[in-house]
Amino acid sequence: MKAYIQLLRPLQWIKNGFVFAPVFFSNNLLKWGYLWPTIVVFFAFCLISSSIYCFNDLRDAEADRQHPKKRLRPIASGAVGTRAGYTLMGLCTILAFSVLSLADSPNAHYLYGILAAYWLMNIAYCIRLKQTAILDVTIIAVGFVMRVLIGGMATDIRISAWLVMMTFLLTLFLALAKRNDDYRIYEQTGTKPRTSITGYNKTFINEATAIIASVTMVCYIMYTMSPELVQRWGTPYVYLTSGWVLAGLLRYLQNMIVYGLSGSPTKSMVKDRFIQLCILGWLLSFFAIIYL
């Protein structure tokens, strides 16, 4: 049973927290009528993403066996058989679309459309698209934007262009940072963790992540000081949360460039106390400014 749970990668479900962004930033987090459909699409995305993880591990089993860490994955190690893997994938896919009916959203057809588009995009990513440098990280970032979009559609909340841009830039930054870890493994072992890694090198990754981190920071500051936001929340002090964002980005760059610890954004959030403090500080300060 443990191997099957590992195949679903429940730790990665943290990423689906992006579906809560629209309800959080719209000052509706404490309203059950908005929170319930968001919870529903969160679990739907957890199931559909686990479906993709199953398919990815089935496709990459042979390559994963050559990787120092991925060789321990359930499919690659033989703990879960191929037939069982495909069965679990199908079950997660069916449940994901079934769960959406509980959202009771006026935009139900859009919810199914976004979930289907996400699934198809990632199937194509696993089969072919992840083999092309830059396109691979772009698709990952688009996937997070789709999480935000489905959160907005489920609650019928209008999503600002600022939120879409910040989501895309931040997740593009994290995806590029992860390529640094892949390239380091490629340098040390001569084994390609992924085909697209030959389209990267340390200089490009470091400079690209630094540029995107800077643009993300500027975008966030402009968002917090925009007249639209100040008018909506009736306070000009949201920009004060920028310090937490800057500290978090700098810490992530430090882990990537100085310590070589950029393998998994999710694990960084779970294990790095400094990043946890930045996220908690940002959430609490943002909550205090707009909800209290």
Side-chain angles (χ1 to χ4, degrees), residues 69 180-181 184 253-263:
K69 297 178 182 178
N180 182 70
D181 187 67
R184 184 167 53 83
L253 282 171
Q254 182 188 44
N255 283 342
M256 184 189 85
I257 299 173
V258 179
Y259 303 128
L261 303 173
S262 54

Side-chain angles (χ1 to χ4, degrees), residues 98-276:
S98 300
V99 164
L100 280 183
S101 62
L102 300 175
D104 193 26
S105 170
N107 300 314
H109 55 296
Y110 288 114
L111 303 187
Y112 288 106
I114 293 173
L115 201 67
Y118 178 84
W119 189 83
L120 290 172
M121 180 182 74
N122 279 277
I123 290 294
Y125 173 85
C126 293
I127 294 174
R128 182 69 180 177
L129 300 182
K130 68 178 182 180
Q131 299 175 13
T132 304
I134 299 181
L135 178 61
D136 57 342
V137 293
T138 301
I139 289 176
I140 292 173
V142 169
F144 280 91
V145 171
M146 294 173 80
R147 287 172 170 86
V148 173
L149 291 177
I150 201 171
M153 285 294 178
T155 52
D156 205 23
I157 293 173
R158 176 183 171 273
I159 300 173
S160 71
W162 290 109
L163 183 55
V164 172
M165 283 304 303
M166 284 188 298
T167 300
F168 180 78
L169 289 168
L170 177 60
T171 52
L172 184 62
F173 164 79
L174 294 174
L176 271 171
K178 190 176 185 303
R179 292 297 173 270
N180 182 70
D181 187 67
D182 292 334
Y183 190 79
R184 184 167 53 83
I185 292 173
Y186 176 49
E187 274 191 322
Q188 293 174 352
T189 66
T191 302
K192 299 178 184 178
R194 59 186 72 244
T195 306
S196 65
I197 201 62
T198 53
Y200 298 100
N201 61 35
K202 277 190 175 181
T203 302
F204 173 77
I205 294 172
N206 290 344
E207 291 185 2
T209 49
I211 290 171
I212 294 173
S214 301
V215 175
T216 303
M217 193 68 233
V218 171
C219 185
Y220 182 79
I221 293 173
M222 291 177 67
Y223 167 65
T224 58
M225 298 178 68
S226 64
E228 175 190 356
L229 185 145
V230 173
Q231 183 179 9
R232 181 194 306 168
W233 291 331
T235 174
Y237 299 114
V238 181
Y239 74 91
L240 295 175
T241 62
S242 300
W244 297 111
V245 178
L246 178 60
L249 289 173
L250 288 175
R251 174 62 171 183
Y252 209 91
L253 282 171
Q254 182 188 44
N255 283 342
M256 184 189 85
I257 299 173
V258 179
Y259 303 128
L261 303 173
S262 54
S264 171
T266 305
K267 289 182 180 179
S268 294
M269 286 188 284
V270 171
K271 295 182 178 181
D272 192 298
R273 294 289 180 261
F274 189 95
I275 290 178
Q276 289 176 355

